[in-house]
C-alpha cells in the first residue's frame, strides 16, 4: 500500500490506534490516605504519559465508597431495587464488603439501569435518562475518582464538563476569550446525534486501555457498559452506548471524545490549517472557531468522516457554520447588517455587538434558548427552601456565573470571585 495522502490523514487521523507501553504502576501502600494515593497516581501519570496503570482497584476502598455515598443527594431517585439513599447508608455494612470483593475477583454484576424519560426544555421530545441503583452509583463515583486522577493529567485545555473546576462557567468564559481576543471569523456549531446512545463499547474499552491495564477495572467498566436497561417492565440488553445519568458515563464520554475529537483536532488538524483555530468542548457539546472560512469548511468535511469512524454522527439540523467574531462584525456593518448571526452554546444565545466605547464584545443580552429563563426561575424557586449553608453555596455559584456574563457584556474585568470554603 502506498502512503496515504495528506488530505486523507486529515479526514481520518491515527489517534485511535495508539499503542502505549505496558509497565507496572504503583503498589499498594496501606499507610497512605485516599487523597495521597490519588495524588501519587496523578503525579505518576503526569511524569510518565505513556504509562499503563496495572494496579488501581485497591484505591476503591470502603472509605471512598462511603464518602461518595454521602455525597449523593438524599432525594435522588432509587434504581431498580427501590433502595433509597437513606436505606443504602443504613445498610452500608451489609453490602459494601461483598460488592468490593466481587470487584476484586472480577465477578461484579452491574445491576440493571432503570430508564426514565425527562422532557427537553422547550421541546416536545424527551431525553432518556438512566437511573442506577444507589450503591452502584456510589461505586461508579469512586471508580470515576480513581480514573480522574489519571485522565486529568491527559485531558486537554479545550475539554470542559465533568471535571474539577472546569464547568459551564469556565467553558463560556473561554469561548468569550477566544472570540474576543483571537482572530476568529467563523464558528462551527456542532451537535452529536444521540451521543450517549452511540458510544461503541469496543472503542470505549480500547481507549480506556491506553492508560488502564488493571483487569479488575476493565472488567468493571465492561459490566457497566453491558448492564441491562429496565423499561416498561422489561429488561433489554445494552449493546451500544452508555446510559446518560451515571457518573461513570460522564468519565467514559470525556475519555472517548478525548481520543476521537480533542487529540485529533489539536495534533492532526490544527497544524494543517492556514489560520488560527480553536475547540471548546463541554462533554458532547462543542464549537470550533476559525480564522478562515476555507479552513472551517475543510474541517467540517473532515469531522464527519472522523466521527463516522467511531460510530458518531452530526445532527444536520443543529450543525451549522456561522460567520461570527469581531471581523465578522465589521463585515456585517459594511453590508448594512446590524450584526452577524448568533451562535448557541450551553443554553445561551451569543451575538456580536459593541460596548459604549465602540469596542467589540460578545453579548448574551439576557437571551436564553429553549425556555432557560423559566427553568432558571423554577430552579431558583425550589432553592428558596434550602438551608442556610446550601443557600450560601447556591448564591456563590450563581454570583460567579453572573459575573462571567457581565464580563462578556464588558461591565467587569474579573471572570469570577475566589470561592471561599464552606
Amino acid at each position: 500500500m502506498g502512503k496515504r495522502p495528506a488530505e486523507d490523514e486529515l479526514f481520518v487521523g491515527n489517534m485511535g490506534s495508539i499503542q502505549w507501553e505496558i509497565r507496572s504502576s504503583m503498589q499498594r501502600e496501606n499507610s497512605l490516605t485516599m487523597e495521597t494515593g490519588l495524588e501519587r497516581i496523578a503525579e505518576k501519570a503526569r511524569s510518565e504519559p505513556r504509562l499503563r496503570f496495572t494496579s488501581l482497584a485497591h484505591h476503591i476502598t470502603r472509605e471512598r465508597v462511603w464518602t461518595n455515598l454521602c455525597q449523593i443527594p438524599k432525594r435522588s431517585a432509587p434504581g431498580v431495587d427501590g433502595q433509597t439513599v437513606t436505606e443504602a447508608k443504613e445498610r452500608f455494612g451489609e453490602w459494601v464488603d461483598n460488592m468490593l470483593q466481587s470487584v476484586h475477583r472480577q465477578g461484579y454484576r452491574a445491576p440493571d439501569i432503570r430508564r426514565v424519560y425527562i422532557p427537553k426544555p422547550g421541546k416536545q421530545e424527551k431525553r432518556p435518562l438512566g437511573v442506577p441503583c444507589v450503591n452502584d452509583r456510589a461505586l461508579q463515583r469512586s471508580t470515576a475518582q480513581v480514573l480522574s486522577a489519571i485522565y486529568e493529567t491527559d485531558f486537554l485545555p479545550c475539554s470542559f464538563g465533568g471535571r474539577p473546576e472546569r464547568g459551564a462557567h469556565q467553558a463560556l468564559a473561554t469561548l468569550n476569550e477566544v472570540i474576543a481576543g483571537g482572530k476568529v471569523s467563523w464558528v462551527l456549531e456542532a451537535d452529536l446525534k444521540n451521543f450517549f446512545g452511540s458510544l461503541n463499547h469496543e472503542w470505549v474499552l480500547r481507549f480506556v486501555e491506553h492508560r488502564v491495564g488493571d483487569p479488575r477495572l476493565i472488567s468493571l467498566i465492561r459490566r457497566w457498559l453491558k448492564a441491562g436497561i429496565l423499561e416498561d417492565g422489561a429488561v433489554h440488553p445494552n449493546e451500544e452506548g452508555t446510559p446518560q445519568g451515571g457518573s461513570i458515563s460522564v468519565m467514559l464520554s470525556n475519555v472517548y471524545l478525548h481520543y476521537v475529537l480533542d487529540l485529533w483536532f489539536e495534533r492532526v488538524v490544527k497544524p494543517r490549517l492556514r489560520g488560527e483555530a480553536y475547540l471548546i468542548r463541554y462533554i458532547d457539546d462543542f464549537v470550533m472557531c476559525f480564522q478562515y472560512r476555507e479552513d472551517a469548511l475543510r474541517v467540517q468535511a473532515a469531522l464527519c468522516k472522523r466521527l463516522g469512524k467511531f460510530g458518531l454522527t452530526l445532527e444536520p439540523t443543529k450543525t451549522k457554520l456561522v460567520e461570527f467574531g469581531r471581523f465578522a462584525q465589521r463585515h456585517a456593518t459594511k453590508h448594512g447588517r446590524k450584526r452577524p448571526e448568533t451562535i448557541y452554546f450551553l443554553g445561551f444565545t451569543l451575538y456580536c455587538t459593541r460596548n459604549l466605547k465602540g469596542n467589540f464584545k460578545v453579548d448574551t443580552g439576557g437571551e436564553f434558548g429553549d425556555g432557560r429563563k423559566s427553568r432558571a426561575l423554577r430552579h431558583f424557586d425550589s432553592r428558596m427552601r434550602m438551608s442556610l449553608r446550601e443557600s450560601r453555596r447556591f448564591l456563590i455559584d450563581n454570583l460567579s456565573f453572573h459575573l462571567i456574563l457581565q464580563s462578556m457584556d464588558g461591565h467587569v474585568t474579573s471572570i469570577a470571585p475566589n470561592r471561599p470554603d464552606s
Side-chain angles (χ1 to χ4, degrees):
M1 296 177 64
K3 184 178 180 181
R4 181 187 299 164
E7 191 71 16
D8 287 346
E9 291 183 9
L10 173 62
F11 283 170
V12 180
N14 194 34
M15 301 309 301
S17 58
I18 302 174
Q19 297 298 320
W20 302 112
E21 60 182 298
I22 302 177
R23 298 172 61 184
S24 181
S25 62
M26 300 171 295
Q27 299 301 313
R28 183 176 185 178
E29 293 185 27
N30 294 327
S31 61
L32 295 175
T33 63
M34 293 191 299
E35 292 74 14
T36 304
L38 295 190
E39 288 171 1
R40 285 170 56 88
I41 292 177
E43 179 58 34
K44 198 74 172 177
R46 188 178 301 108
S47 61
E48 299 188 52
R50 294 177 177 268
L51 175 65
R52 282 186 78 201
F53 290 81
T54 58
S55 181
L56 292 170
H58 63 271
H59 290 285
I60 306 175
T61 62
R62 181 188 178 104
E63 293 76 17
R64 189 178 302 283
V65 173
W66 171 255
T67 299
N68 283 284
L69 176 62
C70 292
Q71 292 176 354
I72 300 175
K74 292 182 179 180
R75 296 183 179 180
S76 295
V80 295
D81 60 357
Q83 183 175 241
T84 65
V85 175
T86 301
E87 292 170 343
K89 290 180 180 179
E90 293 173 350
R91 302 172 183 173
F92 181 75
E94 301 175 13
W95 56 264
V96 64
D97 291 331
N98 289 335
M99 182 179 70
L100 293 178
Q101 289 172 11
S102 66
V103 170
H104 284 279
R105 64 172 182 265
Q106 301 181 42
Y108 180 74
R109 296 187 60 182
D112 297 331
I113 305 295
R114 184 169 64 89
R115 173 166 287 172
V116 298
Y117 289 87
I118 58 175
K120 289 186 176 181
K123 301 179 182 179
Q124 293 183 348
E125 57 183 312
K126 294 186 177 182
R127 174 185 290 113
L129 190 68
V131 183
C133 294
V134 173
N135 52 3
D136 185 65
R137 211 175 308 170
L139 180 60
Q140 286 191 30
R141 282 172 170 252
S142 302
T143 305
Q145 260 185 356
V146 175
L147 295 177
S148 179
I150 300 172
Y151 286 108
E152 277 303 308
T153 66
D154 291 355
F155 289 154
L156 302 184
C158 62
S159 168
F160 299 87
R163 301 181 55 192
E165 304 300 326
R166 295 187 67 80
H169 302 46
Q170 291 77 18
L172 282 167
T174 301
L175 179 60
N176 175 58
E177 180 181 348
V178 163
I179 294 175
K183 297 178 180 179
V184 172
S185 297
W186 297 87
V187 175
L188 176 62
E189 289 184 54
D191 185 89
L192 292 173
K193 186 177 182 179
N194 188 28
F195 171 71
F196 284 92
S198 302
L199 295 187
N200 182 284
H201 291 177
E202 180 181 351
W203 277 116
V204 170
L205 293 172
R206 286 179 64 179
F207 290 147
V208 172
E209 286 173 344
H210 283 328
R211 287 294 246 163
V212 178
D214 190 331
R216 295 165 295 182
L217 258 64
I218 298 300
S219 173
L220 184 59
I221 293 172
R222 182 181 289 109
R223 298 295 181 93
W224 275 324
L225 291 173
K226 297 295 184 181
I229 305 297
L230 176 64
E231 185 175 3
D232 297 328
V235 177
H236 307 279
N238 186 29
E239 300 300 331
E240 68 175 4
T242 175
Q244 188 175 357
S247 300
I248 201 64
S249 297
V250 176
M251 170 58 68
L252 295 179
S253 298
N254 274 331
V255 171
Y256 202 88
L257 288 179
H258 170 71
Y259 289 104
V260 172
L261 184 63
D262 301 353
L263 285 177
W264 173 74
F265 185 83
E266 293 294 333
R267 299 183 183 179
V268 178
V269 174
K270 286 179 68 173
R272 291 170 168 80
L273 300 181
R274 184 163 71 95
E276 293 183 7
Y278 306 91
L279 167 68
I280 295 94
R281 178 178 66 81
Y282 184 89
I283 308 180
D284 63 325
D285 194 0
F286 66 94
V287 294
M288 293 179 173
C289 305
F290 300 93
Q291 182 177 356
Y292 298 115
R293 183 173 184 268
E294 54 266 33
D295 282 345
L297 292 173
R298 188 177 174 214
V299 173
Q300 185 175 7
L303 179 63
C304 294
K305 294 191 176 185
R306 174 66 180 181
L307 294 175
K309 179 181 177 181
F310 301 96
L312 303 176
T313 57
L314 292 173
E315 175 58 65
T317 61
K318 300 178 182 178
T319 301
K320 63 177 181 177
L321 182 62
V322 178
E323 189 175 12
F324 196 89
R326 53 194 174 102
F327 299 102
Q329 174 70 27
R330 297 175 188 173
H331 186 264
T333 303
K334 288 181 180 179
H335 289 77
R337 300 195 307 269
K338 185 178 180 180
R339 63 172 69 100
E341 293 184 68
T342 60
I343 62 173
Y344 182 78
F345 186 56
L346 299 183
F348 285 90
T349 300
L350 308 179
Y351 61 87
C352 300
T353 185
R354 296 186 180 278
N355 59 21
L356 295 177
K357 295 182 179 180
N359 298 322
F360 171 81
K361 67 175 182 177
V362 179
D363 201 349
T364 60
E367 296 183 16
F368 302 98
D370 298 337
R372 189 181 177 97
K373 275 186 176 179
S374 58
R375 284 191 292 126
L377 289 173
R378 288 195 301 270
H379 179 63
F380 188 85
D381 180 68
S382 67
R383 292 291 186 175
M384 294 295 288
R385 301 173 180 83
M386 295 184 300
S387 66
L388 181 61
R389 181 186 182 89
E390 291 173 326
S391 300
R392 182 170 177 266
R393 171 55 60 191
F394 173 68
L395 290 174
I396 290 174
D397 288 343
N398 282 273
L399 176 61
S400 172
F401 203 13
H402 178 64
L403 289 179
I404 285 180
L405 297 181
Q406 281 189 322
S407 71
M408 295 174 70
D409 291 343
H411 299 314
V412 295
T413 56
S414 63
I415 293 299
N418 293 325
R419 296 183 180 182
D421 296 331
S422 296

